[in-house]
């Protein structure tokens, strides 16, 4: 089973509380999601492989380290996942960004892809799928399946808040995928919202209703 990691760094938790607050407006909400995504990216990249290199300082030659050259891809699930992209790019500016768009078929209630555009070499990249809310897990699991069908192999999922139902769904379908969260909340309500959650992440990011 993949890892389930709740990132309880004080800065992440403090900013998440501000994100949850219903009084936080669109501008601050967007900035805070950006900041938390950066902080989460710091933690999620903790296990990147390093290689030893030599560097010449003004004083002497030194043995030093650099990232071993694995390429990265960030995959936001449309629409709310877009809110986490720039925060991750702050730390991994050379990452490529792919997009997966899904909607829920009103009859079957199953997620249906309406847009997929990915870097050509996704099989050679470490992929981070980003979506602020892991609710039922339907979209995240479908997005990950979509990546795997196109050659994606090394996939992590990064969300701000999850419901236990969503974690279970992704773990069942994709036991190879590590999940990183800022919080694991209590449950889903009858409307599919995470409780206590933060409301509709897409609407709060983009100022829609
Ligand atoms: N999507 C959201 O934006 N919020 C939720 O609580 C659940 C799904």
């Amino acid at each position: 089973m993949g890892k389930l990691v709740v990132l309880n760094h004080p800065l992440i938790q403090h900013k998440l509380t501000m994100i949850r607050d219903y009084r936080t407006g669109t501008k601050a909400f967007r900035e805070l999601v950006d900041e938390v995504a950066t902080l989460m990216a710091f933690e999620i990249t903790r296990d990147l492989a390093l290689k030893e290199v030599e560097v010449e300082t003004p004083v002497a030659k030194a043995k030093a380290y650099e990232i071993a050259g694995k390429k990265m891809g960030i995959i936001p699930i449309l629409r709310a996942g877009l809110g986490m992209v720039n925060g991750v790019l702050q730390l991994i500016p050379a990452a490529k960004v792919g997009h997966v768009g899904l909607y829920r078929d009103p009859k079957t209630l199953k997620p249906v892809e309406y847009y997929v555009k990915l870097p050509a070499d996704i099989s050679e990249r470490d992929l981070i799928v980003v979506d602020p809310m892991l609710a039922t897990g339907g979209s995240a699991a479908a997005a990950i399946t979509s990546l795997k069908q196109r050659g994606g192999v090394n996939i992590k999922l990064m969300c701000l808040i999850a419901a236990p139902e969503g974690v279970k769904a992704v773990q069942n379908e994709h036991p190879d995928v590590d999940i990183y969260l800022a919080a694991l909340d209590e449950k889903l309500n009858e409307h599919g919202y995470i409780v206590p959650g933060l409301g509709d992440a897409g609407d709060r990011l983009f100022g829609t209703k």
Side-chain angles (χ1 to χ4, degrees), residues 91-167:
L91 289 193
I92 317 169
K96 296 271 169 75
V97 181
H99 295 84
V100 178
L102 302 153
Y103 71 90
R104 187 187 286 248
D105 183 301
K107 287 206 183 96
T108 64
L109 301 179
K110 295 239 161 71
V112 181
E113 273 176 22
Y114 66 85
Y115 187 77
V116 181
K117 188 81 178 172
L118 301 169
D121 54 355
I122 60 161
S123 60
E124 294 156 33
R125 291 182 179 268
D126 282 340
L127 302 176
I128 307 176
V129 176
V130 294
D131 196 1
M133 307 302 274
L134 181 60
T136 62
S139 302
I144 294 166
T145 300
S146 171
L147 294 179
K148 288 181 175 175
Q149 284 167 348
R150 290 166 174 84
V153 280
N154 198 346
I155 303 171
K156 290 176 175 168
L157 174 64
M158 175 173 136
C159 307
L160 294 184
I161 302 177
E165 295 89 330
V167 169

Side-chain angles (χ1 to χ4, degrees), residues 1 4 19 27 35 59-60 67 81 94 108 116 140 142 178 190 200:
M1 186 65 69
L4 172 64
I19 288 170
K27 177 177 182 287
E35 289 168 13
V59 180
I67 290 170
T108 64
V116 181
D178 294 339
E190 63 278 20
D200 187 300

Side-chain angles (χ1 to χ4, degrees), residues 45-100:
T45 50
R46 196 174 271 287
D47 58 358
L48 282 181
L50 291 173
K51 67 177 182 198
E52 205 175 291
V53 293
E54 192 178 80
V55 66
E56 202 166 335
T57 80
V59 180
K61 283 187 176 159
K63 189 177 82 174
Y65 299 93
E66 65 182 30
I67 290 170
K70 195 86 201 283
K71 295 182 285 188
M72 311 230 18
I74 308 166
I75 316 290
I77 302 178
L78 302 178
R79 143 182 88 134
L82 293 173
M84 297 174 78
V85 173
N86 284 338
V88 180
L89 284 173
Q90 290 284 331
L91 289 193
I92 317 169
K96 296 271 169 75
V97 181
H99 295 84
V100 178

Side-chain angles (χ1 to χ4, degrees), residues 80 133-136 188 192-195 197-203:
M133 307 302 274
L134 181 60
T136 62
L188 287 179
Y193 279 94
I194 298 177
V195 181
L198 52 74
D200 187 300
D203 282 348

